[in-house]
Amino acid sequence: MSTASAPEPREPKPALVFDDPLDQQSSDDTDRGWGERPGTGGDSAADLKRFLDEKPPHHL
């Protein structure tokens, strides 16, 4: 006699959201992250490295 095991519960599918996506704030709507680098605490060597990294090649 074979016994059928109970089916395992499936993960529920994510609900569809019909909200207007333009009503929500995106990461582009903020000033955070635009050209900012993590703070180094005033390390002059890191400042020099950043200066040299961002300097256009025709300014060498």
Side-chain angles (χ1 to χ4, degrees):
M1 191 158 116
S2 65
T3 58
S5 61
E8 295 183 23
R10 295 182 183 173
E11 293 183 26
K13 292 182 180 179
L16 294 176
V17 179
F18 292 101
D19 295 339
D20 186 6
L22 299 178
D23 287 341
Q24 301 172 3
Q25 185 178 22
S26 71
S27 60
D28 289 342
D29 294 334
T30 63
D31 289 335
R32 191 184 65 192
W34 284 89
E36 297 173 4
R37 292 189 181 193
T40 58
D43 184 16
S44 61
D47 290 340
L48 177 62
K49 182 178 181 337
R50 178 179 178 189
F51 173 76
L52 295 174
D53 286 346
E54 294 180 356
K55 192 173 186 181
H58 61 275
H59 283 244
L60 291 175

